[in-house]
Amino acid sequence: MQRFLTTLLRNALPVLKRSFCKTSTSLSNKKGNEDQSVQLGNPFCLEPIEYESHTLRKHDNAKRQTLYEFGLYVAACLPKYVQKIQMAHTDELEILVAPEGLFPVLSFMCYHQHACFNYCPAMTAIDVPSRVYRFEAIYILRSLRFTEMAKVKTYTDELTPLHSSCELWSSNNWFEREAYDMYGIVFSHHPDLRRLLTDYGFTGHPLRKDFPIVGYTECRYDDELKKIVYEPVEFAQENRKFQLESPWTYYRNFHEGYNAPMPPPKKT
């Protein structure tokens, strides 16, 4: 993969260097007559990660740099949609895109001859209610041709739909249905967008942070009606059971005499 990226980036990097940022800047000192220049470094090279630990997995800095340059190549090809390129701590490439550019970027990653990410093993999402766009959709892609992985991330809210990727990978039919069921993320151009894991007529979306742990409704078998009935959740005070002691009894370590010798057994 490094060999073909070297050829690609030979033509792409000059465009990137003109469009992204300058490699140096000058700061003027107002108090004195001397000028001070600060070198910001090359924005197209990642800083190598080196450490002396013998237990942690070592980073492959050459592979990280190659994937990062490929991410810059994707950003140069789709500058309207790609907002940021970053490397995760697991040496995985992450491409952050705008919501309207999700399908174009996924199409590029799937069909472009220099990417060939023709397999999407998973699609998931996270919920951060404090954000304006509370949902973050994550597509995990794998290139079977170059044996590399990448993540494409975007954001949305409860009302803004995302373009479905079922046209690219048919397996995402169930992944996007699960995201719709658990988070309430709406996907346009989906062939069969309906709930997947919850019951018919289920209220709410269980993986949202504002969804109560006990839910809104409960089901039980009614002996009189001889069928399963659904009713609002109700907890009677007399039916609650409080477990105040830990099964590991760690609280004993904070009492006086916790290190005292054990008393002798009682004689019977």
Side-chain angles (χ1 to χ4, degrees):
M1 184 175 182
Q2 187 173 3
R3 183 164 44 187
F4 92 89
L5 281 178
T6 303
T7 306
L8 287 175
L9 293 169
R10 189 176 302 167
N11 298 325
L13 282 179
V15 180
L16 289 169
K17 291 179 181 180
R18 290 194 300 267
S19 60
F20 272 76
C21 58
K22 297 180 180 179
T23 58
S24 62
T25 184
S26 61
L27 297 177
S28 59
N29 189 359
K30 296 182 180 180
K31 295 182 180 180
N33 297 327
E34 297 180 356
D35 293 337
Q36 201 175 20
S37 298
V38 178
Q39 188 74 18
L40 296 180
N42 190 352
F44 308 102
C45 294
L46 293 176
E47 183 178 355
I49 302 177
E50 302 292 343
Y51 48 81
E52 299 178 357
S53 175
H54 298 284
T55 57
L56 298 176
R57 181 181 64 87
K58 293 185 177 180
H59 293 272
D60 190 346
N61 292 314
K63 180 180 177 181
R64 294 178 72 250
Q65 179 63 30
T66 302
L67 287 175
Y68 184 70
E69 291 177 356
F70 173 73
L72 295 178
Y73 173 73
V74 176
C77 294
L78 300 169
K80 182 179 178 181
Y81 303 124
V82 178
Q83 296 180 336
K84 186 178 180 182
I85 301 296
Q86 63 186 13
M87 295 297 298
H89 68 283
T90 54
D91 294 347
E92 293 181 353
L93 175 65
E94 295 183 352
I95 304 174
L96 282 61
V97 303
E100 61 273 10
L102 176 62
F103 188 76
V105 174
L106 292 179
S107 301
F108 178 90
M109 298 291 286
C110 180
Y111 292 128
H112 199 278
Q113 61 178 346
H114 301 311
C116 295
F117 286 89
N118 49 5
Y119 177 48
C120 182
M123 180 267 166
T124 184
I126 61 175
D127 179 22
V128 185
S130 59
R131 298 178 182 174
V132 178
Y133 298 95
R134 60 184 297 179
F135 301 118
E136 181 176 338
I138 306 169
Y139 289 82
I140 302 174
L141 309 180
R142 176 175 285 277
S143 175
L144 301 179
R145 179 179 181 182
F146 302 111
T147 63
E148 295 292 345
M149 290 190 64
K151 294 180 180 178
V152 177
K153 296 184 177 182
T154 188
Y155 51 88
T156 184
D157 53 14
E158 299 93 332
L159 302 177
T160 305
L162 298 176
H163 196 293
S164 175
S165 60
C166 293
E167 302 176 18
L168 308 176
W169 305 283
S170 58
S171 61
N172 283 10
N173 188 343
W174 282 32
F175 294 150
E176 292 175 349
R177 282 179 60 185
E178 182 181 5
Y180 168 72
D181 191 3
M182 297 289 103
Y183 294 95
I185 300 176
V186 182
F187 294 91
S188 61
H189 303 83
H190 194 282
D192 187 20
L193 190 62
R194 53 192 173 94
R195 290 184 179 269
L196 179 66
L197 301 177
T198 55
D199 201 356
Y200 298 102
F202 189 86
T203 304
H205 303 280
L207 289 186
R208 287 188 179 183
K209 298 300 182 181
D210 52 5
F211 188 83
I213 297 178
V214 297
Y216 296 107
T217 59
E218 61 181 357
C219 62
R220 63 179 179 84
Y221 181 77
D222 195 315
D223 291 331
E224 296 180 357
L225 300 176
K226 301 300 180 182
K227 67 176 183 179
I228 296 177
V229 296
Y230 293 85
E231 56 190 9
V233 175
E234 181 180 355
F235 287 98
Q237 183 68 27
E238 57 271 11
N239 292 334
R240 294 185 182 182
K241 182 180 179 181
F242 297 95
Q243 184 74 18
L244 301 179
E245 294 185 0
S246 170
W248 303 106
T249 63
Y250 67 90
Y251 64 91
R252 299 181 185 274
N253 295 337
F254 302 96
H255 288 269
E256 263 185 50
Y258 69 92
N259 56 353
M262 294 290 294
K266 295 182 180 179
K267 297 182 180 180
T268 56

